[in-house]
Coordinates of all heavy atoms in Angstrom, one line a residue:
M154 N 12.8 -64.1 2.7 CA 13.0 -62.7 2.3 C 13.4 -62.7 0.8 O 14.2 -63.5 0.3 CB 14.1 -62.1 3.1 CG 14.5 -60.7 2.7 SD 16.0 -60.0 3.3 CE 15.7 -59.8 5.0
V155 N 12.9 -61.7 0.1 CA 13.3 -61.5 -1.3 C 13.8 -60.1 -1.5 O 13.3 -59.1 -0.9 CB 12.0 -61.6 -2.2 CG1 12.4 -61.3 -3.6 CG2 11.4 -63.0 -2.1
I156 N 14.9 -60.0 -2.2 CA 15.6 -58.7 -2.4 C 15.5 -58.5 -3.9 O 15.9 -59.3 -4.7 CB 17.0 -58.7 -1.9 CG1 17.1 -58.9 -0.5 CG2 17.7 -57.3 -2.3 CD1 18.5 -59.1 0.1
K157 N 15.0 -57.3 -4.3 CA 14.9 -56.9 -5.8 C 15.8 -55.7 -6.0 O 15.7 -54.7 -5.3 CB 13.5 -56.7 -6.2 CG 12.6 -57.9 -6.1 CD 11.2 -57.6 -6.6 CE 10.3 -58.8 -6.5 NZ 8.9 -58.5 -6.9
V158 N 16.5 -55.7 -7.0 CA 17.3 -54.6 -7.5 C 17.2 -54.3 -9.0 O 17.2 -55.3 -9.8 CB 18.9 -54.8 -7.2 CG1 19.7 -53.7 -7.7 CG2 19.1 -55.1 -5.7
R159 N 16.9 -53.1 -9.3 CA 16.8 -52.7 -10.7 C 17.8 -51.6 -11.0 O 17.8 -50.6 -10.3 CB 15.4 -52.2 -11.0 CG 15.2 -51.9 -12.5 CD 13.7 -51.5 -12.7 NE 13.6 -51.0 -14.1 CZ 12.5 -50.9 -14.8 NH1 11.4 -51.3 -14.2 NH2 12.5 -50.4 -16.0
A160 N 18.7 -51.9 -12.0 CA 19.8 -51.0 -12.3 C 19.7 -50.5 -13.7 O 19.5 -51.4 -14.6 CB 21.1 -51.6 -12.0
P161 N 19.7 -49.2 -14.0 CA 19.7 -48.7 -15.3 C 21.0 -49.0 -16.1 O 22.0 -49.3 -15.4 CB 19.5 -47.2 -15.2 CG 20.1 -46.9 -13.9 CD 19.8 -48.1 -13.0
A162 N 20.9 -49.0 -17.4 CA 22.2 -49.2 -18.2 C 23.0 -47.9 -18.0 O 22.5 -46.9 -17.6 CB 21.8 -49.4 -19.6
H163 N 24.3 -48.1 -18.3 CA 25.2 -47.0 -18.2 C 26.0 -46.8 -19.4 O 26.7 -47.8 -19.8 CB 26.1 -47.2 -17.0 CG 27.0 -46.1 -16.6 ND1 28.3 -46.1 -16.9 CD2 26.7 -44.9 -16.0 CE1 28.9 -45.0 -16.4 NE2 27.9 -44.3 -15.9
L164 N 25.9 -45.7 -20.1 CA 26.7 -45.4 -21.2 C 27.9 -44.6 -20.8 O 27.8 -43.7 -20.0 CB 25.9 -44.6 -22.3 CG 24.7 -45.2 -22.9 CD1 24.0 -44.2 -23.8 CD2 25.1 -46.5 -23.6
H165 N 29.1 -45.1 -21.2 CA 30.3 -44.4 -20.8 C 31.1 -43.9 -22.0 O 31.3 -44.6 -23.0 CB 31.2 -45.5 -20.1 CG 32.1 -44.9 -19.1 ND1 32.0 -45.1 -17.7 CD2 33.1 -44.1 -19.2 CE1 32.9 -44.4 -17.1 NE2 33.6 -43.8 -18.0
T166 N 31.4 -42.6 -22.0 CA 32.1 -42.0 -23.1 C 33.4 -41.6 -22.6 O 33.6 -41.2 -21.4 CB 31.4 -40.8 -23.6 OG1 31.2 -39.8 -22.6 CG2 30.0 -41.1 -24.1
G167 N 34.5 -41.7 -23.4 CA 35.8 -41.3 -23.0 C 36.5 -40.5 -24.1 O 36.3 -40.8 -25.3
N168 N 37.3 -39.6 -23.7 CA 38.2 -38.9 -24.6 C 39.6 -38.9 -24.1 O 39.9 -38.7 -22.9 CB 37.7 -37.4 -24.6 CG 36.3 -37.3 -25.1 OD1 36.0 -37.8 -26.2 ND2 35.5 -36.5 -24.4
P169 N 40.5 -39.2 -25.0 CA 42.0 -39.2 -24.6 C 42.4 -37.8 -24.2 O 42.0 -36.8 -24.7 CB 42.7 -39.7 -25.8 CG 41.8 -39.6 -27.0 CD 40.4 -39.5 -26.4
D170 N 43.3 -37.8 -23.2 CA 43.9 -36.5 -22.8 C 45.3 -36.5 -23.5 O 46.3 -36.9 -23.0 CB 44.1 -36.6 -21.3 CG 44.8 -35.3 -20.8 OD1 44.9 -34.3 -21.5 OD2 45.4 -35.3 -19.6
L171 N 45.2 -35.9 -24.7 CA 46.4 -35.9 -25.6 C 47.5 -35.1 -25.1 O 48.7 -35.4 -25.3 CB 46.0 -35.4 -27.0 CG 44.9 -36.3 -27.7 CD1 44.5 -35.6 -29.1 CD2 45.5 -37.6 -28.0
S172 N 47.3 -34.0 -24.3 CA 48.3 -33.2 -23.8 C 48.9 -33.7 -22.5 O 50.0 -33.3 -22.1 CB 47.8 -31.7 -23.6 OG 46.8 -31.7 -22.5
G173 N 48.1 -34.5 -21.8 CA 48.6 -35.0 -20.5 C 48.4 -34.0 -19.4 O 48.8 -34.3 -18.2
D174 N 47.7 -32.9 -19.6 CA 47.5 -31.9 -18.6 C 46.6 -32.4 -17.4 O 46.8 -31.9 -16.3 CB 46.7 -30.7 -19.2 CG 47.6 -29.9 -20.1 OD1 48.8 -30.1 -20.1 OD2 47.0 -29.1 -20.9
M175 N 45.8 -33.4 -17.6 CA 44.9 -33.8 -16.5 C 45.7 -34.9 -15.6 O 45.1 -35.3 -14.6 CB 43.7 -34.4 -17.1 CG 42.7 -33.4 -17.7 SD 41.1 -34.1 -18.1 CE 41.4 -35.3 -19.3
G176 N 46.9 -35.3 -16.1 CA 47.6 -36.3 -15.3 C 47.1 -37.8 -15.5 O 47.4 -38.6 -14.6
R177 N 46.3 -38.0 -16.5 CA 45.8 -39.3 -16.8 C 45.7 -39.4 -18.3 O 45.7 -38.5 -19.0 CB 44.5 -39.6 -16.1 CG 43.4 -38.6 -16.4 CD 42.1 -38.8 -15.6 NE 41.2 -37.8 -16.0 CZ 40.5 -37.1 -15.2 NH1 40.7 -37.3 -13.9 NH2 39.6 -36.2 -15.6
L178 N 45.4 -40.7 -18.7 CA 45.3 -40.9 -20.2 C 44.0 -40.5 -20.7 O 43.9 -40.1 -21.9 CB 45.6 -42.4 -20.5 CG 47.0 -42.9 -20.2 CD1 47.0 -44.4 -20.4 CD2 48.0 -42.1 -20.9
F179 N 42.9 -40.6 -20.0 CA 41.6 -40.4 -20.5 C 40.7 -39.5 -19.5 O 40.9 -39.6 -18.3 CB 40.8 -41.7 -20.7 CG 41.4 -42.6 -21.7 CD1 42.2 -43.6 -21.4 CD2 41.1 -42.4 -23.1 CE1 42.8 -44.4 -22.3 CE2 41.6 -43.2 -24.1 CZ 42.5 -44.2 -23.6
G180 N 39.8 -38.8 -20.1 CA 38.8 -38.1 -19.3 C 37.5 -38.8 -19.7 O 37.3 -39.0 -20.9
T181 N 36.6 -39.0 -18.7 CA 35.4 -39.8 -19.0 C 34.2 -39.2 -18.4 O 34.3 -38.4 -17.5 CB 35.5 -41.2 -18.5 OG1 35.7 -41.2 -17.1 CG2 36.7 -42.0 -19.2
L182 N 33.0 -39.6 -19.0 CA 31.8 -39.1 -18.6 C 30.8 -40.2 -18.8 O 30.8 -40.9 -19.8 CB 31.3 -37.9 -19.4 CG 30.0 -37.2 -19.0 CD1 30.0 -36.7 -17.6 CD2 29.7 -36.1 -20.0
G183 N 29.9 -40.5 -17.8 CA 29.0 -41.6 -17.9 C 27.5 -41.0 -17.8 O 27.3 -40.0 -17.2
F184 N 26.6 -41.8 -18.5 CA 25.2 -41.4 -18.5 C 24.4 -42.6 -18.1 O 24.6 -43.7 -18.7 CB 24.7 -40.9 -19.9 CG 25.5 -39.8 -20.4 CD1 26.6 -40.0 -21.2 CD2 25.1 -38.5 -20.1 CE1 27.3 -38.9 -21.6 CE2 25.8 -37.4 -20.6 CZ 26.9 -37.6 -21.4
A185 N 23.5 -42.5 -17.2 CA 22.5 -43.6 -16.9 C 21.3 -43.4 -17.8 O 20.8 -42.3 -18.0 CB 22.1 -43.6 -15.4
I186 N 20.8 -44.5 -18.4 CA 19.7 -44.4 -19.2 C 18.6 -45.4 -18.7 O 18.9 -46.4 -18.1 CB 20.0 -44.7 -20.7 CG1 20.6 -46.1 -20.9 CG2 20.9 -43.6 -21.2 CD1 20.8 -46.5 -22.3
E187 N 17.3 -45.0 -18.9 CA 16.2 -45.9 -18.4 C 16.1 -47.2 -18.9 O 15.8 -48.2 -18.3 CB 14.9 -45.1 -18.6 CG 13.8 -45.7 -17.8 CD 12.5 -44.9 -17.9 OE1 12.6 -43.6 -18.1 OE2 11.4 -45.4 -17.8
Y188 N 16.4 -47.4 -20.3 CA 16.3 -48.6 -20.9 C 17.5 -48.9 -21.8 O 17.9 -47.9 -22.5 CB 15.0 -48.6 -21.8 CG 14.7 -50.0 -22.5 CD1 14.1 -51.0 -21.8 CD2 15.1 -50.2 -23.7 CE1 13.9 -52.2 -22.4 CE2 14.9 -51.4 -24.3 CZ 14.4 -52.4 -23.7 OH 14.2 -53.7 -24.2
P189 N 18.1 -50.0 -21.9 CA 17.7 -51.2 -21.2 C 18.1 -51.1 -19.7 O 18.9 -50.2 -19.3 CB 18.5 -52.3 -21.9 CG 19.7 -51.6 -22.4 CD 19.2 -50.2 -22.7
Y190 N 17.7 -52.1 -18.9 CA 18.0 -52.1 -17.5 C 18.2 -53.6 -17.1 O 17.9 -54.5 -17.9 CB 16.9 -51.5 -16.6 CG 15.6 -52.2 -16.8 CD1 15.2 -53.3 -16.0 CD2 14.6 -51.7 -17.7 CE1 14.0 -53.9 -16.2 CE2 13.4 -52.3 -17.9 CZ 13.1 -53.4 -17.1 OH 11.9 -54.1 -17.3
L191 N 18.8 -53.8 -15.9 CA 19.0 -55.2 -15.4 C 18.2 -55.2 -14.1 O 18.2 -54.3 -13.2 CB 20.4 -55.4 -15.1 CG 20.7 -56.7 -14.4 CD1 20.3 -57.9 -15.3 CD2 22.2 -56.8 -14.0
E192 N 17.4 -56.3 -14.0 CA 16.6 -56.5 -12.7 C 17.0 -57.8 -12.2 O 17.0 -58.8 -12.9 CB 15.1 -56.4 -13.1 CG 14.3 -56.4 -11.8 CD 12.8 -56.1 -12.1 OE1 12.4 -55.0 -12.3 OE2 12.0 -57.1 -12.1
I193 N 17.4 -57.8 -10.9 CA 17.8 -59.0 -10.2 C 17.0 -59.3 -9.0 O 16.7 -58.3 -8.2 CB 19.3 -58.9 -9.8 CG1 20.2 -58.6 -11.0 CG2 19.7 -60.1 -9.0 CD1 21.6 -58.3 -10.6
E194 N 16.5 -60.5 -8.8 CA 15.8 -60.9 -7.7 C 16.5 -62.0 -6.9 O 16.8 -63.0 -7.5 CB 14.4 -61.4 -8.1 CG 13.4 -61.6 -7.0 CD 12.0 -62.0 -7.5 OE1 11.4 -61.2 -8.2 OE2 11.6 -63.1 -7.2
V195 N 16.8 -61.8 -5.7 CA 17.5 -62.8 -4.9 C 16.6 -63.2 -3.7 O 16.1 -62.4 -3.0 CB 18.9 -62.2 -4.3 CG1 19.6 -63.2 -3.5 CG2 19.7 -61.7 -5.5
S196 N 16.6 -64.6 -3.5 CA 15.8 -65.1 -2.4 C 16.5 -66.3 -1.8 O 17.3 -66.9 -2.4 CB 14.4 -65.4 -2.8 OG 14.4 -66.4 -3.9
E197 N 16.1 -66.7 -0.6 CA 16.6 -67.9 0.0 C 16.0 -69.1 -0.7 O 14.9 -69.1 -1.3 CB 16.2 -68.0 1.5 CG 17.0 -67.0 2.3 CD 16.8 -67.2 3.8 OE1 16.7 -68.4 4.3 OE2 16.6 -66.2 4.5
A198 N 16.8 -70.2 -0.8 CA 16.3 -71.4 -1.5 C 16.9 -72.6 -0.7 O 17.9 -72.5 0.1 CB 16.8 -71.4 -2.9
G199 N 16.5 -73.8 -1.1 CA 17.0 -75.0 -0.5 C 18.4 -75.4 -1.0 O 19.2 -76.0 -0.3
K200 N 18.8 -74.9 -2.2 CA 20.1 -75.0 -2.8 C 20.3 -73.8 -3.7 O 19.4 -73.1 -4.1 CB 20.2 -76.4 -3.5 CG 19.4 -76.4 -4.8 CD 19.7 -77.8 -5.5 CE 19.0 -77.8 -6.8 NZ 19.3 -78.9 -7.6
D201 N 21.6 -73.6 -4.0 CA 22.0 -72.5 -4.9 C 21.4 -72.8 -6.3 O 21.6 -73.9 -6.9 CB 23.5 -72.3 -5.0 CG 24.1 -71.7 -3.8 OD1 23.4 -71.1 -3.0 OD2 25.3 -71.9 -3.6
K202 N 20.7 -71.8 -6.9 CA 20.2 -72.0 -8.2 C 20.0 -70.6 -8.8 O 19.9 -69.6 -8.1 CB 18.9 -72.8 -8.3 CG 17.8 -72.3 -7.4 CD 16.6 -73.3 -7.5 CE 15.5 -72.9 -6.5 NZ 14.4 -73.8 -6.6
A203 N 20.0 -70.6 -10.1 CA 19.8 -69.3 -10.9 C 19.3 -69.6 -12.3 O 19.5 -70.7 -12.8 CB 21.1 -68.5 -11.0
N204 N 18.7 -68.6 -12.9 CA 18.2 -68.8 -14.3 C 19.3 -68.3 -15.3 O 19.0 -68.2 -16.5 CB 16.9 -68.1 -14.5 CG 17.0 -66.6 -14.4 OD1 18.0 -66.1 -13.9 ND2 16.0 -65.9 -14.8
D205 N 20.5 -68.1 -14.8 CA 21.6 -67.6 -15.7 C 22.9 -68.3 -15.2 O 23.2 -68.3 -14.0 CB 21.7 -66.1 -15.6 CG 22.9 -65.6 -16.4 OD1 22.6 -65.4 -17.6 OD2 23.9 -65.4 -15.9
R206 N 23.7 -68.9 -16.1 CA 24.9 -69.6 -15.8 C 25.9 -68.8 -15.1 O 26.5 -69.1 -14.1 CB 25.4 -70.2 -17.1 CG 26.7 -71.1 -16.8 CD 27.3 -71.6 -18.1 NE 27.5 -70.4 -19.0 CZ 27.9 -70.5 -20.2 NH1 28.0 -71.7 -20.8 NH2 28.1 -69.5 -20.9
D207 N 26.1 -67.5 -15.6 CA 27.1 -66.6 -14.9 C 26.6 -66.2 -13.5 O 27.4 -66.0 -12.6 CB 27.3 -65.4 -15.8 CG 28.1 -65.7 -17.1 OD1 28.9 -66.7 -17.0 OD2 27.9 -65.1 -18.1
A208 N 25.3 -66.0 -13.3 CA 24.8 -65.6 -12.0 C 25.0 -66.7 -11.1 O 25.4 -66.5 -9.9 CB 23.3 -65.3 -12.2
L209 N 24.8 -68.0 -11.5 CA 25.1 -69.2 -10.6 C 26.6 -69.3 -10.2 O 26.9 -69.5 -9.1 CB 24.6 -70.5 -11.3 CG 24.7 -71.7 -10.4 CD1 23.9 -71.6 -9.2 CD2 24.2 -72.9 -11.3
K210 N 27.5 -69.0 -11.2 CA 28.9 -69.0 -10.9 C 29.3 -68.0 -9.8 O 30.0 -68.2 -8.9 CB 29.7 -68.8 -12.1 CG 29.8 -70.0 -13.1 CD 30.6 -69.7 -14.3 CE 30.6 -70.7 -15.3 NZ 31.4 -70.4 -16.5
F211 N 28.7 -66.8 -10.0 CA 28.9 -65.7 -9.1 C 28.4 -66.1 -7.7 O 29.1 -65.9 -6.7 CB 28.2 -64.4 -9.5 CG 28.2 -63.3 -8.5 CD1 29.3 -62.5 -8.4 CD2 27.0 -63.0 -7.8 CE1 29.3 -61.5 -7.4 CE2 27.1 -62.1 -6.8 CZ 28.2 -61.3 -6.6
L212 N 27.2 -66.7 -7.6 CA 26.6 -67.1 -6.3 C 27.5 -68.1 -5.7 O 27.8 -68.0 -4.5 CB 25.2 -67.6 -6.6 CG 24.5 -68.0 -5.3 CD1 24.4 -66.9 -4.3 CD2 23.1 -68.5 -5.7
E213 N 28.0 -69.1 -6.4 CA 28.9 -70.1 -5.8 C 30.2 -69.5 -5.3 O 30.7 -69.9 -4.2 CB 29.2 -71.2 -6.9 CG 27.9 -72.0 -7.2 CD 28.1 -72.9 -8.4 OE1 29.1 -72.7 -9.2 OE2 27.2 -73.7 -8.7
R214 N 30.8 -68.6 -6.1 CA 32.0 -67.9 -5.6 C 31.8 -67.1 -4.3 O 32.5 -67.1 -3.4 CB 32.6 -67.0 -6.7 CG 33.3 -67.8 -7.8 CD 34.2 -66.9 -8.7 NE 33.5 -65.6 -9.1 CZ 32.8 -65.5 -10.2 NH1 32.7 -66.5 -11.1 NH2 32.3 -64.3 -10.5
L215 N 30.7 -66.4 -4.3 CA 30.3 -65.5 -3.2 C 30.1 -66.4 -2.0 O 30.6 -66.1 -0.9 CB 29.0 -64.7 -3.5 CG 28.6 -63.7 -2.5 CD1 29.6 -62.6 -2.4 CD2 27.2 -63.1 -2.9
R216 N 29.4 -67.5 -2.1 CA 29.1 -68.4 -1.0 C 30.5 -69.0 -0.5 O 30.6 -69.4 0.6 CB 28.1 -69.4 -1.3 CG 26.7 -68.8 -1.2 CD 25.6 -69.8 -1.5 NE 25.8 -71.1 -1.0 CZ 25.7 -71.5 0.3 NH1 25.3 -70.7 1.2 NH2 25.9 -72.8 0.6
G217 N 31.4 -69.2 -1.4 CA 32.7 -69.7 -1.0 C 33.5 -68.8 -0.1 O 34.4 -69.2 0.7
R218 N 33.2 -67.5 -0.1 CA 33.9 -66.5 0.7 C 33.1 -66.0 1.9 O 33.7 -65.5 2.9 CB 34.2 -65.3 -0.2 CG 35.2 -65.6 -1.3 CD 35.6 -64.3 -2.0 NE 36.5 -64.6 -3.1 CZ 36.4 -64.1 -4.3 NH1 35.5 -63.3 -4.6 NH2 37.3 -64.5 -5.2
H219 N 31.8 -66.2 1.8 CA 31.0 -65.7 2.9 C 30.0 -66.7 3.4 O 29.5 -67.5 2.5 CB 30.2 -64.4 2.5 CG 31.1 -63.3 2.0 ND1 31.8 -62.5 2.8 CD2 31.4 -62.9 0.8 CE1 32.6 -61.6 2.1 NE2 32.3 -61.9 0.9
E220 N 29.6 -66.7 4.7 CA 28.7 -67.7 5.2 C 27.3 -67.1 5.2 O 26.9 -66.2 5.9 CB 29.1 -67.9 6.7 CG 28.4 -69.0 7.4 CD 28.8 -70.4 6.9 OE1 30.0 -70.6 6.5 OE2 28.0 -71.3 7.0
F221 N 26.4 -67.7 4.3 CA 25.0 -67.5 4.3 C 24.3 -68.6 3.7 O 24.9 -69.4 3.0 CB 24.7 -66.1 3.6 CG 25.2 -66.0 2.2 CD1 24.3 -66.4 1.2 CD2 26.4 -65.4 1.9 CE1 24.8 -66.3 -0.2 CE2 26.8 -65.3 0.6 CZ 26.0 -65.7 -0.4
P222 N 23.0 -68.7 3.9 CA 22.2 -69.8 3.4 C 22.1 -69.8 1.9 O 22.4 -68.8 1.2 CB 20.8 -69.6 4.0 CG 20.7 -68.2 4.4 CD 22.1 -67.8 4.7
P223 N 21.9 -71.0 1.3 CA 21.7 -71.1 -0.1 C 20.7 -70.1 -0.7 O 19.7 -69.7 0.0 CB 21.2 -72.6 -0.4 CG 21.6 -73.3 0.8 CD 21.6 -72.3 1.9
G224 N 20.9 -69.7 -1.9 CA 20.0 -68.7 -2.5 C 19.7 -69.0 -4.0 O 20.3 -69.8 -4.6
E225 N 18.7 -68.2 -4.4 CA 18.3 -68.3 -5.8 C 18.4 -66.9 -6.4 O 17.9 -66.0 -5.8 CB 16.8 -68.8 -5.9 CG 16.4 -68.9 -7.4 CD 14.9 -69.4 -7.5 OE1 14.4 -69.8 -6.5 OE2 14.4 -69.5 -8.6
I226 N 19.0 -66.8 -7.6 CA 19.0 -65.5 -8.3 C 18.3 -65.7 -9.6 O 18.4 -66.6 -10.4 CB 20.5 -65.2 -8.7 CG1 21.3 -65.0 -7.4 CG2 20.6 -64.0 -9.6 CD1 22.8 -64.7 -7.7
Q227 N 17.4 -64.7 -9.8 CA 16.6 -64.6 -11.0 C 16.9 -63.3 -11.7 O 16.8 -62.2 -11.2 CB 15.1 -64.7 -10.8 CG 14.6 -66.0 -10.2 CD 14.7 -67.1 -11.2 OE1 14.3 -67.0 -12.4 NE2 15.2 -68.2 -10.8
L228 N 17.4 -63.4 -13.0 CA 17.7 -62.2 -13.8 C 16.5 -62.0 -14.6 O 16.0 -62.9 -15.3 CB 18.9 -62.4 -14.6 CG 20.2 -62.6 -13.9 CD1 21.4 -62.8 -14.9 CD2 20.5 -61.6 -12.9
K229 N 16.0 -60.7 -14.7 CA 14.8 -60.4 -15.5 C 15.1 -59.4 -16.5 O 16.0 -58.6 -16.4 CB 13.7 -60.0 -14.6 CG 13.4 -61.0 -13.5 CD 12.2 -60.7 -12.7 CE 11.9 -61.8 -11.8 NZ 10.7 -61.8 -11.2

């Protein structure tokens, strides 16, 4: 089985709440944009592997907490 996920970039803007009327320090608004994006492909493999060092670390930590077969992560 192969799982593919494509996520758009997210621009986040924030404005300080100088008066404190909102009960928090900042008011924020986010925008999803089409490009750049992150595409991840996950599939079963004979051993954990990835084309990105951080993705491999994430996979190893995740497998340390949950029981599932070895996998491969490809960031595109």
